[in-house]
Amino acid sequence: DIQMTQSPSSLSASVGDRVTITCRASQGISNYLAWFQQKPGKAPKSLVFAASTLQSGVPSRFSGSGSGTDFALTISSLQPEDFATYYCQQYNSYPLTFGGGTKVEIK
Amino acid sequence: QVQLVQSGAEVEKPGASVRVSCKASGYTFTTYALHWVRQAPGQRLEWMGWINAANGNTKYSQTFQDRVTITSDTSASTAYMDLSSLRSDDTAVYYCAREGAWIDIWGQGTMVTVSS
């Protein structure tokens, strides 16, 4: 199975900050990488697929990058509605696997 | 609009089975696959398996291979996830999720509590 490791596991930031979350795959996954946002008590929401393509309707302050084993999700200017937990997920091979999540909290 | 609506919360005893349904609307059911993913309290998302809604083919995680069955009813645009031999550590929120080439839409989740 491909292991997905996210860092950090949590971070505190202020509105307007630039935030970057990283995700590392235990083996190469090309660009078969998605990012999801999850708020407490809610289902995940798709943000990015194919490592860097924004899902329709996702604000342009979100961006994804990387290929192979190292990936990143960047929020260029953190907004109040962005405080949530973010997960990466590989879909290069089965079983699909998710990172452990990064909780973005208000400083 | 495109949505996946899941059945309501369930409380089951250890050893029992549970069925969770996922009704699709707003798109042609057979043109997408449906995955099942669960999330135990405070834990990461865990993939359980998927079904090709066009032909009924399935693939399961080895973790659940012996206990999970995923089926679909194309006439009802609904997928089902059956989990048997429930244990306390199966207590989790269970999600269905749509996939074309990547997961894009999630159901609202179904809480399954396993308790004696």
Side-chain angles (χ1 to χ4, degrees):
Chain A
D1 297 2
I2 298 174
Q3 309 304 314
M4 305 300 292
T5 304
Q6 282 183 240
S7 61
S9 56
S10 66
L11 64 90
S12 295
S14 300
V15 172
D17 283 354
R18 180 182 180 89
V19 167
T20 297
I21 299 165
T22 64
C23 177
R24 174 165 288 178
S26 61
Q27 63 191 76
I29 60 170
S30 185
N31 68 335
Y32 296 105
L33 191 283
W35 289 97
F36 300 97
Q37 176 194 68
Q38 187 178 35
K39 296 183 178 179
K42 299 295 186 182
K45 172 188 172 184
S46 175
L47 296 178
V48 171
F49 63 91
S52 60
T53 304
L54 287 188
Q55 195 72 39
S56 175
V58 173
S60 59
R61 63 180 179 273
F62 290 92
S63 63
S65 62
S67 67
T69 60
D70 293 305
F71 302 88
L73 176 72
T74 298
I75 309 172
S76 61
S77 177
L78 202 62
Q79 298 301 300
E81 60 268 30
D82 301 336
F83 292 95
T85 300
Y86 294 84
Y87 293 93
C88 61
Q89 177 240 325
Q90 67 80 21
Y91 54 100
N92 178 76
S93 63
Y94 290 104
L96 305 186
T97 48
F98 295 82
T102 296
K103 187 173 184 179
V104 177
E105 299 176 299
I106 302 173
K107 182 183 285 186
Chain B
Q1 74 280 22
V2 175
Q3 59 179 348
L4 300 173
V5 178
Q6 298 182 221
S7 49
E10 304 274 6
V11 179
E12 302 291 347
K13 294 190 184 304
S17 298
V18 70
R19 165 170 279 199
V20 180
S21 66
C22 171
K23 183 171 177 58
S25 62
Y27 72 95
T28 302
F29 182 69
T30 53
T31 59
Y32 289 83
L34 280 169
H35 295 259
W36 289 89
V37 177
R38 79 176 188 181
Q39 188 172 38
Q43 301 300 308
R44 73 176 66 192
L45 297 158
E46 183 177 28
W47 181 76
M48 301 179 70
W50 76 291
I51 186 165
N52 181 330
N55 58 23
N57 288 348
T58 56
K59 188 172 185 66
Y60 301 124
S61 165
Q62 285 200 334
T63 301
F64 303 99
Q65 179 76 40
D66 297 333
R67 299 197 295 135
V68 70
T69 303
I70 299 173
T71 57
S72 66
D73 178 349
T74 56
S75 67
S77 297
T78 300
Y80 303 92
M81 188 282 297
D82 294 296
L83 188 63
S84 62
S85 303
L86 290 169
R87 309 185 291 253
S88 58
D89 61 0
D90 290 319
T91 294
V93 178
Y94 290 76
Y95 294 101
C96 60
R98 185 184 84 161
E99 181 226 321
W102 52 84
I103 289 177
D104 62 350
I105 301 291
W106 294 71
Q108 85 276 20
T110 297
M111 182 71 210
V112 175
T113 302
V114 183
S115 174
S116 55

